[in-house]
Amino acid sequence: MRQKYSSRRSREACPLPGVRKEYRMLSDDERERYHRAVQTLKNTTINGTNGEITNEYDMFVRLHNPGESPGAHYGAAFLPWHREYLSRYEESLREIDCTVSLPYWDSTLEYGLPDSTSSILWTPDFMGNGDGEVTSGPFGYFKPVHPYYTGNHIERYVGKMWGRPMCLSDIDAIMEGTEFRDLSLYVNPALEGSHGEVHGWIGGHISWILSAADDPLFFMHHSFIDCIWEEFRTTRQKTDRYTEYPTQYWDVGGTEHMADSPMMPMGLLNKDGLSAKYTEDLYNCAPRPTCNTTTPDCGSDYLFCDLRSTPRCLARVRQGGFCVGVEDGCALGLQCCGKYCKQTCNN
């Protein structure tokens, strides 16, 4: 049986909509509660749809399957399908701890570093290591549904395969549109294309559609994509964001992406993913971290304000990480010694 941490606080103390914050903007307690809820989901044994014994987390992994969900990628249904998918995942986390909202991971905070693999993200307090089998951090030794190389635990090969983190120019390109159709891969590949780059940059399980959700980082990456979509809907979209859906076959990307096609296997239609219920009733997205010369503070001990050119927030650099050019960006308690962040510079 799963342990419900929500009993610590009344349901009234956990009102909806919740707030999805950037992962580094969570308090230490919020981050720990989120980690614990995901761990509990992974450790909760249930009967699968075919009678097999599985766990709740792995049921979500199996849903992210091109055979089960043909409209989830490569077209207009990409965004509404994943919105419904994330909403169900977040609901399961809240059933464990009603204070938890699904955070988003803004990978532009890694892109601006001289070496994105040196981010504090890849440390035990956050996502754990990114250099092979994940054996540290809150999700260390998670066993995947789908084997990759070793087959024993989830794997990452950050910066060793292909792709890159998202950058601010990606978001600028996404925001050039004014209609939902402008976000479809076959009209403007900026959103779905740059999202895929991140999958490849992390490498390992998350780089393959079938096994991507084996890595919990997947859900935070897609939470960011969803928040970008919502930013587009509220600041750029000129058409009715609750009803406008592309109608031309060559715009949507195929029959499975049409508005009235089934959102398999959710029991909805693709157009239902445009509903107001999500961001009015269930969650909001907190703004992306920012800073300026007047207030060179990103609001988190795990981010710093880079003032080399236009001020922007970046992830702090982990111990042993490359710090040339961002000498003030080492994690708290570390200093840039030559090329790398260390506790002291005398060794």
Side-chain angles (χ1 to χ4, degrees), residues 15 21 23 48 55 79 123 162-163 181 189 203 235 248 259 266 296 300 324:
K21 302 177 184 178
Y23 184 48
N55 62 72
L79 289 167
T123 61
W162 55 274
R181 69 176 292 276
T235 66
Q248 299 299 322
M266 307 298 188
S300 168
V324 173

Side-chain angles (χ1 to χ4, degrees), residues 99-117:
T99 69
V100 169
S101 291
L102 176 62
Y104 65 84
W105 167 46
D106 178 354
S107 62
T108 70
L109 301 175
E110 272 68 42
Y111 182 85
L113 293 175
D115 175 10
S116 298
T117 68

Side-chain angles (χ1 to χ4, degrees), residues 172-225:
D172 290 342
I174 292 164
M175 297 299 165
E176 289 177 357
T178 58
E179 302 176 14
F180 176 56
R181 69 176 292 276
D182 295 328
L183 302 184
S184 179
L185 178 68
Y186 293 96
V187 177
N188 180 359
L191 191 148
E192 192 169 354
S194 60
H195 129 274
E197 291 282 332
V198 181
H199 280 271
W201 176 70
I202 299 167
H205 279 84
I206 204 171
S207 66
W208 183 33
I209 288 178
L210 188 65
S211 63
D214 271 310
D215 189 338
L217 185 54
F218 163 90
F219 292 96
M220 296 200 304
H221 172 45
H222 272 271
S223 182
F224 183 50
I225 298 303

Side-chain angles (χ1 to χ4, degrees), residues 36 65 73 112 142 227-228 246 269 278 325:
R36 195 163 51 202
N65 180 337
H73 301 90
F142 261 32
C227 287
I228 292 173
L269 302 179
Y278 298 99

